[in-house]
Amino acid sequence: MPDLYWEDFEPGQRIELGSRTVTEEEIVEFGRAWDPQPFHVDPLAAKDSVFGGLIASGWHTGAMWMRLYVENVLGAGSRGSPGIEELRWLAPVRPGDTLTGSLTVLETTPSERDPTRGTVRIRAEMTNGDGIVVMRMTSRGHFGRRSPV
Amino acid sequence: MPDLYWEDFEPGQRIELGSRTVTEEEIVEFGRAWDPQPFHVDPLAAKDSVFGGLIASGWHTGAMWMRLYVENVLGAGSRGSPGIEELRWLAPVRPGDTLTGSLTVLETTPSERDPTRGTVRIRAEMTNGDGIVVMRMTSRGHFGRRSPV
């Protein structure tokens, strides 16, 4: 389990989050549960859609990135997230795609109210096997401090 | 199934998306799959966390809103989404919470490149049973036009 705290991040730092391959079964399962549009759940209907075939829900792509982020970065230091500044779905994610997650630290800010934590602003990316960035996101996370002021 | 096209939206329009109650089982299941931090998957560890108990992953809350949006708004006219402009998780979502989704149309823009579609910019909200907005998001969706220019 990772064990990163606010002090462990610095602007410019890049962290590789590893990869995950997405199957048609998983795309359909996620789609049925949360985003049951034909191009996420029905391979035949998806073929006739503007996407030309089944694609993953954007929320699924975000969740896949989150899973990699938790596995590699979030441990006892994580205090949740206030939200996302911007998220772009830049290219379709299709069955069999292997997605690689990464993040770059943009900014670290100590909390003004709470001396035991700080905020880390990151740029997150998911890239497919062709090197195309399929999702890009700027978001913030709260982290506990190893050494509260 | 809803059947809304680009022409069916206009700025200021508010659409109610109905409600959904989230169980502890669903919070833990979603957390285990996509966001396995202790405060999403382990009721006991969650009690000792800054959240004081189990809370839903923010991605889960987003996915719940998406599900309501698909059920009430997205039909044959939906052409996917380029992304989210901003998303804020404003209050914790806990087991047993009943969340009500809504959206307000901010702007509708015809595509400059594609005469068969347009973009709808919305403000989305999820509100709990106490009337507290737990998630607020500004995002864009592409929709087909009933009458291509």
Side-chain angles (χ1 to χ4, degrees):
Chain A
M1 200 180 179
D3 198 26
L4 295 172
Y5 286 78
W6 182 73
E7 289 89 340
D8 300 321
F9 299 93
E10 56 181 60
Q13 182 181 3
R14 184 181 161 95
I15 301 177
E16 301 297 334
L17 304 177
S19 296
R20 183 182 174 101
T21 299
V22 62
T23 61
E24 175 172 314
E25 191 187 353
E26 187 183 286
I27 288 175
V28 170
E29 189 189 349
F30 191 101
R32 278 195 187 140
W34 305 114
D35 191 351
Q37 300 188 75
F39 42 77
H40 298 319
V41 299
D42 180 343
L44 283 180
K47 223 170 196 172
D48 292 331
S49 77
V50 287
F51 300 109
L54 207 67
I55 64 166
S57 167
W59 292 95
H60 185 187
T61 307
M64 285 189 271
W65 180 88
M66 187 69 204
R67 173 77 196 219
L68 295 173
Y69 182 48
V70 174
E71 284 171 358
N72 290 278
V73 173
L74 300 187
S78 169
R79 299 263 192 102
S81 163
I84 296 167
E85 256 177 60
E86 191 185 25
L87 185 154
R88 296 292 312 274
W89 292 299
L90 299 162
V93 173
R94 301 187 188 274
D97 279 359
T98 297
L99 303 179
T100 301
S102 68
L103 70 87
T104 303
V105 177
L106 301 176
E107 199 181 343
T108 67
T109 319
S111 170
E112 284 179 18
R113 283 178 303 180
D114 183 349
T116 72
R117 70 165 168 86
T119 299
V120 179
R121 186 165 162 256
I122 63 169
R123 174 168 303 126
E125 286 186 349
M126 277 290 250
T127 305
N128 70 17
D130 296 325
I132 293 166
V133 177
V134 297
M135 188 188 93
R136 182 175 286 133
M137 172 175 75
T138 306
S139 65
R140 287 170 198 272
H142 295 317
F143 288 85
R145 297 179 70 151
R146 289 185 187 279
S147 315
V149 278
Chain B
M1 198 180 179
D3 197 25
L4 294 173
Y5 286 79
W6 182 74
E7 289 89 340
D8 300 322
F9 299 93
E10 56 181 61
Q13 182 182 2
R14 184 181 161 95
I15 302 177
E16 301 297 335
L17 304 177
S19 297
R20 182 182 174 102
T21 299
V22 62
T23 61
E24 175 173 313
E25 190 187 354
E26 188 183 285
I27 287 175
V28 170
E29 189 190 348
F30 190 100
R32 279 197 186 137
W34 305 114
D35 191 351
Q37 300 188 74
F39 43 76
H40 298 319
V41 300
D42 180 343
L44 283 181
K47 222 170 197 170
D48 292 331
S49 77
V50 287
F51 301 108
L54 206 67
I55 63 166
S57 167
W59 292 96
H60 185 187
T61 306
M64 286 189 271
W65 180 87
M66 187 68 204
R67 172 78 196 219
L68 295 174
Y69 182 47
V70 174
E71 284 171 357
N72 290 278
V73 172
L74 300 187
S78 169
R79 298 263 193 101
S81 163
I84 296 167
E85 258 176 60
E86 191 186 25
L87 185 155
R88 295 293 312 274
W89 291 300
L90 299 162
V93 173
R94 301 187 188 275
D97 278 358
T98 296
L99 304 179
T100 301
S102 68
L103 70 88
T104 304
V105 177
L106 300 177
E107 199 181 342
T108 67
T109 319
S111 170
E112 283 178 18
R113 286 178 303 180
D114 183 348
T116 72
R117 70 165 168 87
T119 299
V120 179
R121 186 165 162 257
I122 63 169
R123 174 169 303 125
E125 286 186 349
M126 279 290 250
T127 305
N128 69 18
D130 296 324
I132 293 166
V133 177
V134 297
M135 187 188 93
R136 182 175 287 133
M137 171 175 75
T138 305
S139 66
R140 288 171 197 271
H142 294 317
F143 288 85
R145 297 178 70 150
R146 289 184 188 280
S147 315
V149 277

